Amino acid sequence: MTLLLAGDIGGTKSLLRLVEMPTAADTTSGTIQIDALYEGIYSSQEYPDLVPIVGQFVKEASQKLGEVPQPKGACFAIAGPVIGHKSVLTNLSWTLTTDRLEKELNIPHVKLINDFVAVGYGVLGMNKADLHTLQPGETQTAAPIAVIGAGTGLGQGFLIRHLDEYFVYPSEGGHADFAPRTAIEFELLQDLRQRENIDRVSVERVVSGMGIASIYQFLRDRAIAAGKDVSPADKDPAEISQAALEKSDPICEQTLQIFVEAYGAEAGNLALKLLPYGGLYLAGGIAAKILPLITEGDRFINSFNHKGRVSPLVEKVPVHIVLNPQVGLIGAAICAARL
């Protein structure tokens, strides 16, 4: 067995997990056996760097396991850009480099990856219980895999298979142009341009947590202008989503309808560009939480497949929602195993 350290490092919290994997584990595809030995959550803002967090984690793990763990490799998924072997975290005053971490943590091999790249690795470790299939499609084992996830922003990425191994690549596709398809989406586009004083609207401004809030504000102001008795108060994305799930607020319901359709359309756009017959996976923090709204009336998958004369191409793409919230941490462990 190989002892590894996986980390999901964010501006608010850092999640660390000590894992064991079979020495001869196949980390290229299919279900991967990962045995978690110890896990800890830490407030990132309370520490000056990642090293003391790992030090605290090792101390706690030693007390639990009865011996000091000595990982052979570590991979940390970073909520921020990773360039080469270095990352300057967006929301923390941390600068991390692999050579310094290897030296100060006494771990032979350390790798830093973007958090959505970690999600890409993580889908390789998902099993049937971790997924909800929206469209079975026609799986091709050698084809690309696509990953898209609406959360704070809109992450996108893809996996390409070479021989028997998948390689994960990041993307900034979430910053592509928002392409409205209906009359109300065209109105939303104009509202966002005026409200935000911008001349270009990215799809992330619609398909994300902030997008849910923006759609709600647009519909609320539209209703008020039409003379309807609507509260002028803002709602956060969680409140809007909950009200839509409970069907207690018509504007919140319409907000999520527009959001789900735009999400499906953008996922379909990604599918057209990659033809990911290895599967397209919805990750991020939103899809699993609003699963009933994603599946209601097949609204998402209908938008996904509505691609005119090339619709038959995307109808063959397997589409899955990732239900496991620790997919990024699992991906970091898989990446560490490859070191």
Side-chain angles (χ1 to χ4, degrees), residues 30-308:
T31 301
I32 299 167
Q33 181 62 41
I34 301 174
D35 295 323
L37 301 180
Y38 186 74
E39 184 175 301
I41 301 177
Y42 307 89
S43 174
S44 303
Q45 308 260 352
E46 295 179 4
Y47 293 84
D49 188 76
L50 178 58
V51 172
I53 291 181
V54 175
Q56 179 66 25
F57 173 80
V58 169
K59 180 180 178 181
E60 294 172 1
S62 300
Q63 295 173 348
K64 173 73 180 296
L65 302 175
E67 61 180 355
V68 178
Q70 296 181 320
K72 299 299 182 184
C75 179
F76 300 106
I78 308 297
V82 177
I83 301 175
H85 302 289
K86 178 179 179 179
S87 177
V88 180
L89 274 74
T90 306
N91 296 315
L92 292 170
S93 58
W94 296 3
T95 298
L96 305 176
T97 61
T98 55
D99 55 352
R100 179 175 71 85
L101 292 173
E102 288 172 351
K103 180 179 179 180
E104 296 187 15
L105 298 177
N106 194 29
I107 298 176
H109 305 287
V110 172
K111 188 174 181 65
L112 303 175
I113 59 176
N114 173 264
D115 56 351
F116 214 77
V117 171
V119 171
Y121 281 110
V123 299
L124 298 176
M126 297 292 97
N127 56 46
K128 289 184 178 180
D130 295 320
L131 302 172
H132 177 91
T133 298
L134 293 177
Q135 177 167 278
E138 299 176 12
T139 303
Q140 299 177 16
T141 56
I145 293 173
V147 184
I148 183 170
T152 303
L154 179 63
Q156 296 187 18
F158 58 98
L159 294 78
I160 301 294
R161 188 171 184 134
H162 177 65
L163 299 178
D164 291 329
E165 186 172 4
Y166 274 107
F167 292 84
V168 183
Y169 299 92
S171 167
E172 291 298 333
H175 295 287
D177 297 317
F178 170 56
R181 302 163 302 118
T182 64
I184 198 164
E185 286 185 356
F186 276 100
E187 286 186 50
L188 172 63
L189 173 68
Q190 293 303 319
D191 181 80
L192 284 168
R193 292 179 65 176
Q194 295 172 10
R195 186 189 304 273
E196 303 296 336
N197 192 26
I198 52 178
D199 59 7
R200 176 187 177 274
V201 177
S202 70
V203 67
E204 183 178 79
R205 288 187 180 271
V206 177
V207 184
S208 64
M210 66 176 174
I212 290 175
S214 294
I215 297 169
Y216 176 82
Q217 290 171 1
F218 158 66
L219 293 175
R220 177 204 60 198
D221 292 351
R222 190 169 178 262
I224 291 173
K228 297 182 179 179
D229 184 17
V230 176
S231 169
D234 286 337
K235 295 180 183 289
D236 64 36
E239 291 173 324
I240 298 166
S241 300
Q242 187 59 39
L245 286 165
E246 295 172 351
K247 300 190 180 304
S248 60
D249 185 319
I251 293 181
C252 292
E253 290 182 61
Q254 188 180 7
T255 295
L256 267 295
Q257 289 170 5
I258 292 173
F259 170 82
V260 167
E261 290 178 3
Y263 198 171
E266 177 59 18
N269 289 341
L270 181 60
L272 279 179
K273 293 168 184 174
L274 295 173
L275 297 180
Y277 296 123
L280 182 143
Y281 293 82
L282 274 69
I286 296 178
K289 294 177 181 177
I290 63 166
L291 182 59
L293 302 177
I294 293 280
T295 57
E296 186 177 62
D298 292 328
R299 184 171 280 110
F300 179 96
I301 208 66
N302 287 342
S303 295
F304 180 89
N305 289 329
H306 188 58
K307 298 301 178 189

